[in-house]
Amino acid sequence: MNIRANHLPTAELQALDAAHHMHPFSDGDALAKRGVRVITHADGVMLTDSEGKQILDGMSGLWCCNIGHGRRELADAAHAQMLQLSYYNTFFMTSHPPVIELAETIARLAPEHMNHVFFASGGSEANDTNIRMVRHYWAARGKPEKTVIISRRNAYHGSTMGGASLGGMGGMHAQGGLPIPGIVHIDQPNWWAEGGDLSPDDFGIARARQLAEKIAEIGEDKVAAFIAEPVQGAGGVIVPPDSYWPEVKRVLEAHDILFIADEVITGFGRTGQMFGSQTYDLTPDIMTVAKGLSSGYAPIGGSIVADHVAEVINGGGDFNHGYTYSGHPVACAVAIENLRIIVEEKLVERVRTDIGPYLWERWKALTDHPLVGEAVQKGLMASIALTPDKSTRAKFASEPGTVGYRCRERCFANNLVMRHVGDRMIIAPPLTISHDEVDMLIDRATRSLDETYAGLKADGMLVSA
Ligand SMILES: *Cc1c(COP(=O)(O)O)cnc(C)c1O
C-alpha cells in the first residue's frame, strides 16, 4: 500500500484518516463524517488536492510558508544535510555547523541588541522555554519571587501546557485545567469587537493602561514579564489602534519587567519589516520565532534573546532545560536556506513596498460589500469583520462563528483557503504571491462573500444580536 504516492482514491484516504488520524483543533467525529480534504501537492501559492483541484493558499499553510511552496533549494539543503550529519545533539558540550551558522544568521537579522538564540522545534516549545527562561533570569538576579507573566485574552502562544496558558483562548483554557498558575491576562486591543463608544485611539490607550494597572495590582516585584504578539494572528488578525503600542512601550519603560514579543507569525517579513517589533518600534527582551523561520519546510522554532538577558542566563550556572531537537541539523540547514532566499529575493522589502500595498488596495475595497464591516492589514496579514450592520459594528444574532464558518465553507467551495476566527475572515498569503494571484484571491473571496450573503438572506440570518 503506497498511500504517499496517492494511488488510493480520495474516499479510501478519507476513511483511513478517519480510522487512525486524530486531528488537532478538530471535532473528530464531525470531521470523519464529512471527510477531510486531502492535499497532495503544492507549488508557489497553489495547493492541489486528491481530486486534482487547484486551491489558492491564502494562509501560507498555517502562517508559515513565507517563501511559498515547493522550493527545490530547501529540499536540496535537507537532502545534503541528512547525508552529512542527520542528527546530533547540542546538550553535552557539542555543537555542529548548521546550528552555529543559523544562530549567527539570526543574530545578524535580529535587532542590534539581540544576538543569542535558544532553539526549539516550534513556537509552543519556544514559549515554554521563555516561561522558564524569564523566571530563571529573575532568580539568577536574586529576585526569585518575580514569576508572574502577564498576557492578553484572545492571544495565541501555542498549545503546550505553557503555550496554551500564556494564550488567552477561552476554549483552550476550558479543557485540561488551564491556565497553569502564575499567568494572568489583560484585555486585547480589538477595537471593532470591544471598543464600544471610544475612538480607536482612546480605546488603544485604555487597553494599554490595563498593563500598568495589572502590574500595580500584582506588584512589580512579582511580575517577570509581559508577552504579546505585535499583531494577534490566530485571534483574528487584530491590528491594534495606532495609540496602543506607544502606550504599552511607555508602561514597559517605567517598570522593571521583561517583554517577550511573540513573533512566530510576525517574524521574517510578514509585517513588512524583518520583525513585527521593528514595524512597531518595540524593544523586546526575547522574541519567539518559528513558522517563517523555515517557511514550514522543517519544524523549528526558538527564542531570540537580548544580550543583557543572555548574559544573566549564561552566567547563572546550568540552565536545566532543552529539547532533543534543539538545533536539529536538518531543520537548521533548511532554515538557513530559507533565510537566504528571504534576504536575497528581498521579500521583506517586497511586502513593504510592493505586494503589501497592492493587496491593501484590493483588500480595503472589500468594505464596499454589505457583509464586511472593517478591513485591516499589516504587511501580508489581513482580516475583515463580517457584520449584519456596519453602521453599529453589530454582531450577528447567531452563535459567534456561525457566519464565519459559512463563509469559510464558501471559500473552500471556491478553491480559496481563507480562515475564519469567529465572524472575522483572515488571510496571510505567502510573501511571494504575485499581483495576478492577489487578484485571484480577491475574486474568489468576493464570490464567497456574495454567496455567504445570499445564503444568510435566504435563511433569515442577517439579524443583529
Ligand atoms: C503558531 C503560533 C505559536 C505556536 O507555534 P507551534 O509551532 O504551533 O507550536 C505560538 N505563537 C504564535 C503567535 C503562533 O501564531
Side-chain angles (χ1 to χ4, degrees):
M1 184 164 67
N2 188 345
I3 292 178
R4 284 181 294 162
N6 193 36
H7 292 153
L8 289 178
T10 302
E12 280 180 54
L13 289 170
Q14 289 174 327
L16 286 169
D17 186 89
H20 304 294
H21 178 198
M22 301 176 79
H23 286 256
F25 289 99
S26 299
D27 175 336
D29 282 353
L31 186 60
K33 206 151 112 203
R34 170 204 161 111
V36 290
R37 190 163 196 173
V38 182
I39 306 299
T40 57
H41 299 76
D43 185 35
V45 304
M46 299 303 287
L47 310 169
T48 306
D49 74 6
S50 54
E51 300 289 283
K53 288 220 177 73
Q54 296 276 308
I55 306 152
L56 198 160
D57 184 6
M59 283 304 300
S60 304
L62 260 182
W63 322 86
C64 49
C65 200
N66 289 14
I67 64 166
H69 298 277
R71 292 289 299 250
R72 176 166 296 276
E73 300 94 318
L74 274 68
D76 289 344
H79 180 87
Q81 186 56 47
M82 272 195 200
L83 291 175
Q84 183 171 333
L85 177 71
S86 55
Y87 177 74
Y88 201 71
N89 74 73
T90 53
F91 284 24
F92 303 119
M93 299 194 277
T94 52
S95 196
H96 50 72
V99 75
I100 295 167
E101 183 175 339
L102 181 59
E104 192 274 335
T105 303
I106 292 172
R108 215 157 8 86
L109 298 178
E112 258 324 286
H113 69 291
M114 309 186 86
N115 292 289
H116 305 265
V117 190
F118 193 105
F119 287 103
S121 303
S124 308
E125 278 186 6
N127 276 328
D128 277 30
T129 294
N130 294 339
I131 295 173
R132 301 194 54 189
M133 192 181 291
V134 299
R135 288 177 175 170
H136 184 54
Y137 167 89
W138 288 114
R141 282 191 53 189
K143 297 180 178 174
E145 65 290 343
K146 273 173 85 75
T147 58
V148 177
I149 300 170
I150 301 174
S151 181
R152 304 181 299 175
R153 295 189 185 92
N154 199 36
Y156 188 79
H157 297 299
S159 195
T160 50
M161 295 288 281
S165 297
L166 290 174
M169 299 291 179
M172 292 174 76
H173 290 177
Q175 298 174 342
L178 300 180
I180 56 173
I183 294 171
V184 299
H185 298 83
I186 57 176
D187 289 320
Q188 60 170 337
N190 181 347
W191 176 78
W192 175 266
E194 302 177 3
D197 294 334
L198 292 179
S199 70
D201 276 345
D202 287 348
F203 174 73
I205 294 205
R207 286 291 154 100
R209 292 209 175 132
Q210 282 194 10
L211 178 59
E213 289 155 19
K214 190 53 98 179
I215 295 169
E217 177 194 321
I218 299 165
E220 188 173 330
D221 55 343
K222 300 259 179 359
V223 179
F226 172 58
I227 182 168
E229 305 151 86
V231 177
Q232 287 154 266
V237 185
I238 310 300
V239 177
D242 290 341
S243 60
Y244 180 74
W245 280 117
E247 184 64 15
V248 168
K249 209 173 143 181
R250 215 184 53 75
V251 173
L252 288 171
E253 276 162 9
H255 296 93
D256 195 16
I257 68 171
L258 297 175
F259 172 47
I260 306 164
D262 187 337
E263 298 261 8
V264 170
I265 288 172
T266 51
F268 306 107
R270 177 61 59 193
T271 67
Q273 298 282 346
M274 190 56 78
F275 295 96
S277 292
Q278 294 161 327
T279 294
Y280 287 107
D281 191 28
L282 304 172
T283 312
D285 300 293
I286 297 175
M287 295 195 296
T288 321
V289 291
K291 295 188 174 134
L293 171 56
S294 66
S295 281
Y297 284 69
I300 184 167
S303 306
I304 307 180
V305 182
D307 299 345
H308 70 99
V309 175
E311 194 179 315
V312 172
I313 299 294
N314 288 338
D318 277 349
F319 180 35
N320 297 316
H321 173 68
Y323 308 108
T324 301
Y325 297 141
S326 287
H328 190 287
V330 177
C332 287
V334 168
I336 291 164
E337 193 56 16
N338 172 62
L339 296 181
R340 184 191 66 73
I341 287 173
I342 288 176
V343 170
E344 286 184 9
E345 298 185 1
K346 298 193 165 40
L347 295 183
V348 184
E349 294 85 332
R350 180 168 194 272
V351 170
R352 188 170 62 246
T353 62
D354 173 17
I355 199 67
Y358 185 72
L359 175 65
W360 179 232
E361 278 305 308
R362 306 283 336 254
W363 188 254
K364 73 179 178 211
L366 291 175
T367 52
D368 294 340
H369 196 280
L371 207 50
V372 177
E374 71 165 359
V376 296
Q377 185 183 329
K378 212 53 159 175
L380 278 197
M381 56 196 299
S383 63
I384 46 179
L386 306 185
T387 175
D389 180 359
K390 56 181 97 186
S391 68
T392 59
R393 310 208 308 273
K395 297 176 175 66
F396 290 98
S398 50
E399 184 73 19
T402 310
V403 172
Y405 181 81
R406 286 171 75 121
C407 185
R408 198 202 57 176
E409 292 293 283
R410 296 323 309 154
C411 293
F412 240 72
N414 288 313
N415 292 321
L416 169 66
V417 178
M418 174 157 76
R419 237 174 96 183
H420 81 105
V421 175
D423 295 324
R424 286 185 91 84
M425 305 305 298
I426 65 177
I427 56 162
L431 312 188
T432 51
I433 189 170
S434 70
H435 288 227
D436 284 351
E437 288 161 344
V438 164
D439 291 344
M440 188 194 290
L441 187 158
I442 297 291
D443 289 349
R444 292 183 183 185
T446 304
R447 195 179 327 142
S448 304
L449 286 165
D450 287 346
E451 291 170 5
T452 306
Y453 187 72
L456 292 172
K457 207 164 178 179
D459 295 341
M461 288 173 65
L462 286 168
V463 182
S464 302

